[in-house]
Amino acid sequence: MKKIFIISTAAFTGLLILIFLFGRLYPFNKEPIHIALMAPVSGPQEAIGKEMVKGAKLYLDTINISGGVRGRKVSLTVYDDKNDKRTGMETAYQVAEADKALLVIGHYSNTISIDAGKIYKKIGIPAITAYAVDEAVVRGNEWFFRTVPNSGLYADLMANYTAKILKKTSASMIVDNNSYGFSIAEGFEKAARKSGIEIIKKWEFSSEDKDVEGKLTQIADELKAAENPGIILLAAREAEAAKILTLIKYHESDYSVISNLSTESFPNLLREYSKGKNPAEPEGIYAASPFLADVGNEKTYSFRKKFSEKYGKEPSAEAACAYDALFVALEAVRLAEIEGRLGSDRRRVKDSLTGFYNYATALRGVTGYIYFDSGGDAVKPPVMGVWRKGKLCSSSFQYLPAAGIEKRGIDNSLEKLLSGELIEIRGQTLSETPVVAVGISMNEVTVTDMKNAVFTLDFYLRFSYEGEFDEKSLVFVNAVEPVTLGTPVAEDRGLLRHRVYHVTADFKYMPDFKKYPFDEHDLCLEIRHPELTRDKLILVADTADMPESVNKNAGAVKINPDAGWRVGNVSVYEDILTNPSAFAADSLFSSDASGFSRIRADIRIQRKGSGFALKNFLPMFLIAAVLYAVYFMPADRLSFRVMIFTAALIANAHYHVMFAAKLGADCLC
């Protein structure tokens, strides 16, 4: 009896332990994880707020479809702060009173973020801003984190870019005298003087003044009267910047402008304020940005594709930053191993965020690697874009983290710092990296050898870049034979050099016959430099139209007429080939900078119509019909039935061998 009691007790205890462990791994509490998103979804910044929501919801859908975070779905509650200080404070108090959000993402405004941050600190809830750049937002608040560069990084990059890349020696500043404008201007002024740039004039205004229009008009008149104002730094929000540019008739002048005006709303505002027959465009204005799709990584490409499929447009910087902010937040939640007690769970998430403190622990988002310094600031520089035809494109040079410099140094680093090839910003060493835009216009594709997976591609290839570059040093990775670029069919040199080549060559591809005879195949063209890693050369996809004199049928991809194929999607994009070096095992060298920038062009071809299937499989159907008919033959005709059955097997084997020879035996395995 005693033995039975001991066994029963042990079994019951074991059952309790299993229930406890199962509950830890697969929580019975299916209450979703609540995240609060603070965004201006109405009011003057409505367009920006809606982009924030789109980006966050895209990642929300991705994570929930995959099962949520540790088996729990994620719920996103959007609070409309209207980019208004009073409303912003009310929404912060609403989050505090609801007492269910594990984490806050927002706000867009610097002033709202600073004031709301005091509330989040008081109640002990972690917050992440993906927009507010003022250094005061996270300073002294261990509960606030920022996933984008702060104003100091923006200012330092713009000053260095002005001096080292644009070769400007003087500048004038137009500053909105609020925390945002002042933080940008102060940092630019300090860095400019260190770089040898003379500040000729500094105009200040307040966007909150009743007579702001009159002040902006006065500034514009004085600027137009200035003999040589140098490059103009605009440390102002989109609306005021657009008004200033309209008043000085920027589109009719030769002013040089640099800013961090990277939002989608900026060109729209400029057109709106310059109503007339020739509305102004932000052509040639340099803008530092937390995100540029054409200098991203493979995660960026995947994000662009998902965003375009869902919303029918290219993602904005606001959408990308919101996507990354939610990604970082939920990664912190996953690592925190929350237990269902809100107060302690919030602290666990906060501590988890501080665990992303260097490159080795960084998270790889669509805007780059994200980790925080001891103050909660993201340690990454912005990228520099230039407005062309209403779109913010990558400028001809970028400053990127120098690959591995923290670990192994770079030869002659002092000499390179003095020459501007390397710069140091807030403790980060950045390398000057040329950007080459590669445009591909397909003419015709021919599947020449299905068995050996070879296709012939006829296309025009355009290179656009500033300075000097040997495009003939690039290699076509999957070409059957080495491709040599001949004489350009078109060439032009202004601010950028443009060269166009006509190429016809054979390429290999990876066939996929899983759906044969209704199969689809992705034909791929890959171009990269054989030696220069991504910190020394960036190739970006050029979406500009090919010159009409070169290719009058641009965009109309033909396929050899009698092959039974049709062309589906054609996409051209940049991705990163990881460098298979001896350093690959070191997390420091697994960065984007240590890989190779590569241009890929994917062409999807599909079987055309049902005629191909009918033609190739009709004999199989006939064999099956004959075998079915044999079943109804009299039993005394056994020898005849065996003969027909044997003939059918031989015929079937013959057709299998025929298909294997035609498609390649490996494809049918």
Side-chain angles (χ1 to χ4, degrees):
M1 189 72 181
K2 184 178 180 181
K3 186 177 180 181
I4 295 174
F5 175 76
I6 293 172
I7 294 173
S8 301
T9 303
F12 182 71
T13 304
L15 181 61
L16 288 177
I17 292 172
L18 286 174
I19 291 172
F20 174 76
L21 291 174
F22 187 81
R24 292 278 290 180
L25 295 173
Y26 304 98
F28 294 109
N29 178 17
K30 293 300 182 180
E31 173 72 17
I33 296 167
H34 294 283
I35 306 292
L37 174 63
M38 324 300 274
V41 292
S42 66
Q45 303 293 346
E46 177 182 348
I48 289 173
K50 289 182 176 178
E51 287 296 301
M52 293 168 63
V53 173
K54 286 178 182 178
K57 286 192 172 180
L58 184 64
Y59 187 73
L60 180 74
D61 293 343
T62 302
I63 199 71
N64 280 336
I65 289 171
S66 64
V69 178
R70 292 186 176 271
R72 293 174 62 178
K73 296 291 185 180
V74 180
S75 172
L76 186 71
T77 303
V78 179
Y79 292 82
D80 182 11
D81 66 15
K82 300 182 180 179
N83 212 44
D84 172 73
K85 185 174 181 179
R86 181 177 177 180
T87 308
M89 296 302 290
E90 289 174 355
T91 58
Y93 280 118
Q94 288 172 19
V95 171
E97 290 170 1
D99 201 31
K100 67 176 183 177
L102 186 60
L103 185 142
V104 172
I105 294 175
H107 301 251
Y108 178 75
S109 162
N110 288 281
T111 53
I112 297 175
S113 296
I114 293 169
D115 292 338
K118 297 173 184 176
I119 299 172
Y120 304 142
K121 181 179 181 180
K122 184 177 180 180
I123 63 176
I125 179 171
I128 299 174
T129 179
Y131 308 96
V133 300
D134 193 330
E135 293 178 71
V137 171
V138 301
R139 187 189 299 135
N141 189 343
E142 71 272 19
W143 291 89
F144 224 135
F145 298 82
R146 181 180 4 240
T147 54
V148 292
N150 63 31
S151 57
L153 286 168
Y154 275 105
D156 281 6
L157 178 71
M158 289 191 286
N160 277 277
Y161 202 91
T162 297
K164 306 294 194 307
I165 303 298
L166 302 181
K167 309 295 183 186
K168 302 292 184 181
T169 58
S170 60
S172 294
M173 304 166 64
I174 301 176
V175 183
D176 189 347
N177 199 9
N178 55 23
S179 61
Y180 162 77
F182 181 78
S183 61
I184 294 285
E186 183 183 37
F188 182 88
E189 197 166 359
K190 288 179 181 177
R193 291 203 165 104
K194 286 182 182 178
S195 301
I197 299 173
E198 178 189 2
I199 304 299
I200 295 175
K201 181 72 175 178
K202 181 179 179 181
W203 289 280
E204 295 184 5
F205 70 94
S206 175
S207 53
E208 297 179 1
D209 283 351
K210 292 182 180 179
D211 190 30
V212 62
E213 298 280 352
K215 184 63 176 177
L216 293 178
T217 302
Q218 179 188 337
I219 292 173
D221 290 340
E222 292 179 14
L223 178 59
K224 287 189 288 186
E227 186 175 342
N228 183 18
I231 193 168
I232 301 166
L233 170 74
L234 282 179
R237 287 295 188 189
E238 294 82 0
E240 287 72 31
K243 289 175 184 175
I244 282 284
L245 292 170
T246 302
L247 289 168
I248 64 174
K249 297 185 178 180
Y250 168 79
H251 59 300
E252 298 175 4
S253 68
D254 57 357
Y255 292 120
S256 295
V257 176
I258 194 165
S259 66
N260 64 334
L261 300 167
S262 60
T263 64
E264 278 189 340
S265 60
F266 174 55
N268 296 330
L269 286 168
L270 194 56
R271 295 184 198 106
E272 180 184 339
Y273 292 139
S274 59
K275 294 176 181 177
K277 293 182 179 179
N278 298 306
E281 295 284 350
E283 192 73 17
I285 293 177
Y286 289 90
S289 174
F291 170 79
L292 280 176
D294 55 2
V295 289
N297 50 47
E298 57 265 36
K299 285 193 72 173
T300 310
Y301 172 72
S302 176
F303 163 69
R304 289 176 72 183
K305 187 175 181 181
K306 288 190 293 184
F307 192 93
S308 298
E309 287 173 353
K310 183 167 184 176
Y311 299 112
K313 62 187 286 292
E314 281 284 303
S316 63
E318 295 77 33
C321 291
Y323 184 96
D324 263 2
L326 187 57
F327 160 63
V328 170
L330 296 182
E331 281 300 297
V333 172
R334 183 179 63 82
L335 295 173
E337 297 186 0
I338 58 178
E339 297 178 332
R341 294 187 292 272
L342 190 59
S344 62
D345 285 348
R346 286 171 172 174
R347 181 166 290 279
R348 282 172 175 266
V349 172
K350 190 263 288 184
D351 293 340
S352 183
L353 286 167
T354 61
F356 308 128
Y357 61 89
N358 61 16
Y359 219 103
T361 59
L363 296 173
R364 194 183 193 205
V366 300
T367 62
Y369 283 84
I370 300 171
Y371 64 98
F372 307 106
D373 63 16
S374 58
D377 247 323
V379 185
K380 65 176 184 178
V383 286
M384 187 60 70
V386 59
W387 285 98
R388 293 195 180 106
K389 297 183 178 179
K391 179 183 177 183
L392 188 62
C393 308
S394 172
S395 61
S396 300
F397 295 91
Q398 295 291 343
Y399 277 113
L400 300 180
I405 190 168
E406 300 93 337
K407 195 95 171 229
R408 58 186 170 88
I410 288 183
D411 294 338
N412 304 318
S413 58
L414 180 59
E415 180 183 336
K416 293 182 178 182
L417 281 167
L418 293 173
S419 69
E421 187 177 341
L422 293 178
I423 63 172
E424 190 170 339
I425 295 179
R426 307 277 172 124
Q428 297 182 75
T429 303
L430 308 179
S431 174
E432 179 187 316
T433 307
V435 176
V436 175
V438 182
I440 299 176
S441 179
M442 305 294 181
N443 295 325
E444 186 171 359
V445 56
T446 305
V447 182
T448 52
D449 189 343
M450 180 69 73
K451 180 179 179 180
N452 294 307
V454 175
F455 70 98
T456 302
L457 193 60
D458 182 276
F459 60 98
Y460 286 101
L461 186 63
R462 178 173 63 187
F463 299 96
S464 301
Y465 52 88
E466 188 175 336
E468 298 298 326
F469 175 70
D470 180 15
E471 61 271 14
K472 295 183 180 181
S473 62
L474 297 174
V475 295
F476 295 77
V477 179
N478 60 322
V480 175
E481 299 289 341
V483 176
T484 302
L485 298 177
T487 304
V489 296
E491 187 170 1
D492 176 46
R493 182 158 193 173
L495 177 62
L496 296 178
R497 167 171 284 182
H498 305 281
R499 282 178 173 166
V500 182
Y501 296 87
H502 186 201
V503 181
T504 303
D506 293 336
F507 299 91
K508 297 282 289 183
Y509 71 100
M510 292 293 292
D512 182 5
F513 291 102
K514 293 185 181 69
K515 298 179 181 178
Y516 185 86
F518 307 103
D519 45 322
E520 300 178 339
H521 302 274
D522 288 320
L523 312 182
C524 178
L525 168 67
E526 298 182 25
I527 305 172
R528 72 172 177 90
H529 197 280
E531 299 173 357
L532 299 180
T533 51
R534 197 172 182 271
D535 61 320
K536 297 180 178 65
L537 173 66
I538 298 176
L539 302 176
V540 301
D542 189 355
T543 57
D545 295 332
M546 200 68 69
E548 190 173 338
S549 59
V550 170
N551 185 12
K552 295 181 180 179
N553 297 315
V557 186
K558 300 176 183 177
I559 192 163
N560 48 315
D562 299 323
W565 297 97
R566 64 171 176 267
V567 177
N569 295 328
V570 179
S571 57
V572 180
Y573 58 95
E574 183 226 4
D575 72 349
I576 298 167
L577 176 66
T578 304
N579 182 13
S581 69
F583 300 108
D586 191 334
S587 62
L588 181 63
F589 292 90
S590 62
S591 68
D592 294 343
S594 64
F596 290 90
S597 181
R598 174 175 60 176
I599 288 292
R600 286 174 58 96
D602 290 340
I603 310 164
R604 173 158 291 188
I605 60 171
Q606 303 161 325
R607 294 281 183 188
K608 185 168 59 177
S610 56
F612 178 83
L614 183 64
K615 174 183 175 182
N616 285 275
F617 285 92
L618 182 60
M620 299 295 185
F621 294 138
L622 293 176
I623 291 172
V626 169
L627 288 174
Y628 183 72
V630 169
Y631 175 78
F632 296 99
M633 287 185 176
D636 58 354
R637 305 293 300 273
L638 179 62
S639 60
F640 185 66
R641 294 170 72 180
V642 170
M643 182 179 67
I644 293 177
F645 186 76
T646 303
L649 286 178
I650 294 172
N652 182 67
H654 167 74
Y655 278 107
H656 182 80
V657 171
M658 181 186 72
F659 282 129
K662 183 178 180 181
L663 301 178
D666 293 340
C667 301
L668 298 177
C669 295

